[in-house]
Amino acid sequence: MIRIDDVAREAGVSTATVSRALRGLPMVSEATRQRVLEAATRLGYIASPSASRLAGGRTGCVGVVVPRITRWFFSTVVEAAEHSLHEAGYDVLLFNLGGSEQARLKLLRTGALRQRVDAIMMISMPLQPDDFAAVSRLELPGVTVSSGTPVPGWPSVRIDDVAAARDAVGHLIGLGHTRIARICGKSSDELALTAHVDRQRGYHEALRHAGIVPDPALEVEGALDLAGGAAAAEELLRRGVPFTAIYAICDEAAMGALTTLRRHGLRVPEDVSLIGIDDHDLAPAVGLTTVAQPAAEQGRRAVETLLSPTGPQGDVLLPTHLTIRESTAPPPRTLGPEITSEDGERP
Amino acid sequence: MIRIDDVAREAGVSTATVSRALRGLPMVSEATRQRVLEAATRLGYIASPSASRLAGGRTGCVGVVVPRITRWFFSTVVEAAEHSLHEAGYDVLLFNLGGSEQARLKLLRTGALRQRVDAIMMISMPLQPDDFAAVSRLELPGVTVSSGTPVPGWPSVRIDDVAAARDAVGHLIGLGHTRIARICGKSSDELALTAHVDRQRGYHEALRHAGIVPDPALEVEGALDLAGGAAAAEELLRRGVPFTAIYAICDEAAMGALTTLRRHGLRVPEDVSLIGIDDHDLAPAVGLTTVAQPAAEQGRRAVETLLSPTGPQGDVLLPTHLTIRESTAPPPRTLGPEITSEDGERP
DNA sequence: CTGAAAGCGCTTACAG
DNA sequence: CTGAAAGCGCTTACAG
């Protein structure tokens, strides 16, 4: 292995000068810098990260914590953040919670992040009261994306979830719907996620604004993925309460609901209108109307904020916009879905 | 910060003993180990990774290289691999190429991986002849998943892509189709990906086995995502050659094709049957028939192979299975799709 | 602008 | 089974 001594000898300078020259520090004459750079290139020298870290106190790593990398929103944010971080010379340490509470606790309580990263990016992380102490004990700068739970002292990058939900439900109301079901996350698991609370509030605000009294029988909790959406729609149908539209908290849940509706022979949007929030990659493929949020942009902005020379600061609020496709239409004449035996013609 | 000296003093032993005791090395009496463990816990000691790495020569990190974390297959493999790696005490350094050739070159040519990881997992990485030298210069153990390009000396974990494609096309043939289009990856970009070549071979083998002469006019290249699949189907329709079924190289391309077919008023499966390979999370939502491959299992097996005490070795071949949903059916009476003006009833 | 030397916090032969 | 001491390869005051 080529070490810094080798480069120093080759360039005829001290190791201190090599270190300064290679890192672009000032206080090195241009001529010397050139000589060092050439020597380093000639030898194929790369500084040992472990040694630099130990001596310099910086790890050059950023920890990215994400609930489930397999979900559209999270993978999109991570892709954008990873790109920006590598551009800025940082390595990315990935911590995927995989939906496991245990993984969350382990990450926060143990030293998994201590001394391993210079900064933390938490995407939609629900934090319990106890967790704040653990996070602040890390004494690391950080940023939250898509406001899981705001962390005191950390800036956040997010959308206005209340407005997004209001726009989604408002669109349905504008089409003439009044019996609008809501598929949401489990309040037990994710109470602390502001996004969930906000999207619930937006739903209620839109209804009230239109003079519609919210009906608790129309609100169903479920996991925020396909299976959860499918199960929630199933539960909704079992309740037997009439509805002409479904507002799902995210596109994946909406697509899950779509599966269930189809399985029951219900047509979308003829029998039931369906709207989500996200603008998932596959939303066009299933013709899903949704409120689009800029996922990649949130990842980029989070890195920008985190690496700002003046330190992470300021909250960023990004715009969303209603994207109308084929899954929403005026309600049918007869109120509520009719279970037909015919299975429809589209897969 | 608590250092190893603090623990040594607290436990009344030398730092060498603390080091051994905490890492579970032999040659430490049980009584001493207990004393050290207690002292460490009491003080909340965590060994500095940088110092351990520099002194010990191991980084405790594994580099996971993936083409696009946003695609279903890759995020699923990464999630499973990340979980297994953390279980084994490794940190995960994520390198997402983002579909950029430049990122690939940078990763291989520069020292991005040198000294930063103890092992590498490459998922569907296409390697050019020049890249092999760069990879072997890393002198690191590694494993390839879903055979982008096999790396000499590295084991691989994958499915039998020839068989998967054969099963997919065989299913269509069994239903009575003879004009079967193929949507595949761009041969220019990804020639080295064995998966692509293999899935092409499977298609041709199935046709020949049934006595069907492959028609080049039925084969269209495109990107392997939604947009690529949609564009490929568009191109196929523009060609005006008759076909009754489409076999797509992956589910995302298939779902993209679905969008296009729907846009043209074609019904699936009444007018055109559609099959993919993967069993994407959302395949049930769109009723897509596919050949399922075990993505998470590939991630787990790759880690297992990589961390095997005897070093990475052996190739693992995992089974696939045909999963029939609603997107495939016998061909319509009239040969080839008819463009209707009616848009159908399902989003 | 440059260098000699201490120090970052561990691990590892080596000796006992 | 345990300890004293060297060493891992850098960075950083400090001095010039």
Side-chain angles (χ1 to χ4, degrees):
Chain A
M1 204 186 78
I2 309 287
R3 292 167 323 178
I4 198 169
D5 322 43
D6 302 315
V7 181
R9 201 173 313 114
E10 179 84 5
V13 296
S14 72
T15 59
T17 299
V18 172
S19 175
R20 293 187 192 106
L22 258 28
R23 284 180 301 147
L25 261 37
M27 306 284 106
V28 179
S29 78
E30 206 40 53
T32 306
R33 191 188 303 282
Q34 281 310 324
R35 207 139 33 87
V36 172
L37 247 36
E38 278 161 26
T41 316
R42 204 176 315 134
L43 264 35
Y45 171 71
I46 297 173
S48 153
S50 307
S52 303
R53 285 165 193 181
L54 180 57
R58 293 177 57 256
T59 67
C61 293
V62 170
V64 173
V65 184
V66 76
R68 296 222 68 163
I69 191 76
T70 45
R71 286 189 45 201
W72 170 82
F73 178 72
F74 301 130
S75 67
T76 306
V77 173
V78 167
E79 171 158 300
E82 191 261 10
H83 185 73
S84 297
L85 286 169
H86 277 151
E87 290 253 293
Y90 283 89
D91 280 338
V92 174
L93 235 43
L94 177 68
F95 296 92
N96 177 61
L97 270 23
S100 143
E101 173 70 9
Q102 195 190 326
R104 217 192 87 251
L105 289 176
K106 194 174 159 197
L107 180 71
L108 293 171
R109 306 280 201 261
T110 72
L113 286 167
R114 288 266 283 283
Q115 322 221 40
R116 295 183 133 72
V117 300
D118 296 331
I120 302 176
M121 176 165 161
M122 281 192 182
I123 308 173
S124 298
M125 252 302 253
L127 294 178
Q128 306 303 320
D130 282 1
D131 299 334
F132 288 110
V135 168
S136 77
R137 209 176 306 128
L138 258 27
E139 295 185 320
L140 250 23
V143 62
T144 62
V145 176
S146 178
S147 41
T149 311
V151 174
W154 286 8
S156 71
V157 175
R158 58 191 186 87
I159 58 168
D160 182 337
D161 289 291
V162 179
R166 214 165 34 207
D167 290 352
V169 178
H171 169 63
L172 296 172
I173 292 172
L175 287 169
H177 294 273
T178 56
R179 300 287 303 167
I180 301 171
R182 179 172 83 97
I183 292 180
C184 55
K186 288 188 186 150
S187 59
S188 56
D189 287 0
E190 331 203 39
L191 197 55
L193 270 185
T194 61
H196 292 193
V197 177
D198 287 353
R199 291 184 191 181
Q200 171 180 38
R201 187 183 310 162
Y203 166 79
H204 287 135
E205 281 186 16
L207 292 184
R208 289 216 191 80
H209 183 75
I212 301 169
V213 180
D215 178 354
L218 288 175
E219 307 190 30
V220 200
E221 294 184 353
L224 294 184
D225 54 9
L226 260 197
E234 205 69 65
E235 161 68 13
L236 190 61
L237 290 172
R238 194 170 45 232
R239 289 184 187 171
V241 292
F243 64 92
T244 62
I246 297 177
Y247 146 69
I249 188 171
C250 67
D251 282 359
E252 275 143 329
M255 294 192 245
L258 184 60
T259 319
T260 296
L261 294 172
R262 181 174 297 138
R263 187 166 296 141
H264 284 267
L266 291 165
R267 295 166 307 165
V268 174
E270 290 81 355
D271 299 318
V272 179
S273 280
L274 182 62
I275 194 168
I277 293 180
D278 268 349
D279 200 17
H280 190 288
D281 267 354
L282 296 180
V286 298
L288 183 67
T289 294
T290 191
V291 175
Q293 70 165 319
E297 179 71 9
Q298 288 180 71
R300 280 190 292 272
R301 296 295 289 275
V303 172
E304 204 173 278
T305 302
L306 198 56
L307 302 185
S308 152
T310 53
Q313 56 187 285
D315 285 355
V316 179
L317 203 65
L318 262 21
T320 57
H321 66 274
L322 178 65
T323 303
I324 300 176
R325 296 202 179 87
E326 298 94 65
S327 69
T328 49
R333 293 281 185 70
T334 58
L335 193 66
E338 306 168 70
I339 311 292
T340 68
S341 61
E342 186 223 12
D343 190 54
E345 297 156 297
R346 290 287 171 84
Chain B
M1 204 187 76
I2 309 288
R3 291 169 322 180
I4 198 169
D5 322 45
D6 302 315
V7 180
R9 202 173 314 112
E10 178 85 5
V13 296
S14 72
T15 59
T17 299
V18 172
S19 176
R20 292 187 192 108
L22 258 28
R23 284 180 300 147
L25 260 37
M27 305 287 107
V28 179
S29 77
E30 206 42 52
T32 306
R33 189 187 304 280
Q34 280 311 324
R35 207 139 34 86
V36 171
L37 247 37
E38 279 161 25
T41 316
R42 205 176 313 135
L43 265 33
Y45 170 72
I46 297 174
S48 153
S50 308
S52 303
R53 286 166 193 181
L54 180 57
R58 293 177 57 257
T59 66
C61 293
V62 169
V64 173
V65 184
V66 76
R68 295 221 67 161
I69 192 78
T70 46
R71 285 190 46 202
W72 171 81
F73 178 71
F74 301 130
S75 67
T76 306
V77 173
V78 168
E79 171 159 302
E82 191 260 12
H83 184 74
S84 297
L85 286 169
H86 277 151
E87 290 255 293
Y90 283 89
D91 280 337
V92 174
L93 237 42
L94 177 68
F95 296 92
N96 177 62
L97 270 22
S100 142
E101 173 70 8
Q102 194 190 327
R104 217 193 88 248
L105 289 177
K106 195 174 158 197
L107 181 71
L108 293 172
R109 306 279 201 261
T110 72
L113 286 167
R114 287 267 283 285
Q115 323 221 40
R116 294 181 135 72
V117 299
D118 296 332
I120 301 176
M121 176 165 159
M122 282 191 181
I123 308 174
S124 298
M125 253 302 251
L127 295 178
Q128 306 303 320
D130 282 1
D131 300 334
F132 289 110
V135 169
S136 78
R137 209 176 306 128
L138 259 28
E139 295 186 321
L140 250 24
V143 62
T144 62
V145 176
S146 179
S147 41
T149 311
V151 174
W154 287 8
S156 71
V157 175
R158 58 191 186 88
I159 59 169
D160 182 337
D161 288 290
V162 179
R166 212 165 35 206
D167 290 351
V169 177
H171 169 63
L172 295 172
I173 292 172
L175 287 168
H177 295 272
T178 56
R179 301 286 304 167
I180 302 171
R182 178 172 84 99
I183 291 180
C184 55
K186 288 190 186 148
S187 59
S188 56
D189 287 0
E190 332 205 36
L191 196 57
L193 271 184
T194 59
H196 292 193
V197 178
D198 287 354
R199 290 183 191 181
Q200 172 180 37
R201 187 183 309 162
Y203 167 78
H204 287 136
E205 281 186 16
L207 292 184
R208 289 217 191 78
H209 183 76
I212 301 170
V213 180
D215 178 354
L218 288 175
E219 308 190 28
V220 201
E221 295 185 353
L224 295 184
D225 55 8
L226 260 197
E234 206 69 65
E235 159 70 12
L236 190 61
L237 290 172
R238 194 169 45 232
R239 287 187 189 170
V241 292
F243 64 91
T244 61
I246 297 177
Y247 146 69
I249 191 173
C250 67
D251 282 0
E252 275 143 330
M255 294 191 246
L258 183 61
T259 320
T260 295
L261 294 173
R262 180 175 298 138
R263 187 167 295 142
H264 284 267
L266 291 166
R267 295 167 305 165
V268 174
E270 290 81 354
D271 301 316
V272 178
S273 279
L274 183 62
I275 193 168
I277 293 181
D278 267 350
D279 200 17
H280 190 288
D281 267 354
L282 296 180
V286 296
L288 184 67
T289 295
T290 190
V291 175
Q293 69 164 321
E297 178 72 9
Q298 288 180 71
R300 280 190 291 273
R301 295 295 288 275
V303 172
E304 204 172 278
T305 302
L306 198 57
L307 302 184
S308 150
T310 52
Q313 55 187 286
D315 285 354
V316 178
L317 203 66
L318 263 22
T320 58
H321 66 274
L322 178 66
T323 303
I324 300 175
R325 297 204 177 88
E326 298 94 65
S327 70
T328 48
R333 292 279 184 71
T334 58
L335 194 65
E338 306 167 72
I339 312 292
T340 68
S341 62
E342 185 222 15
D343 190 57
E345 297 157 299
R346 290 288 171 82

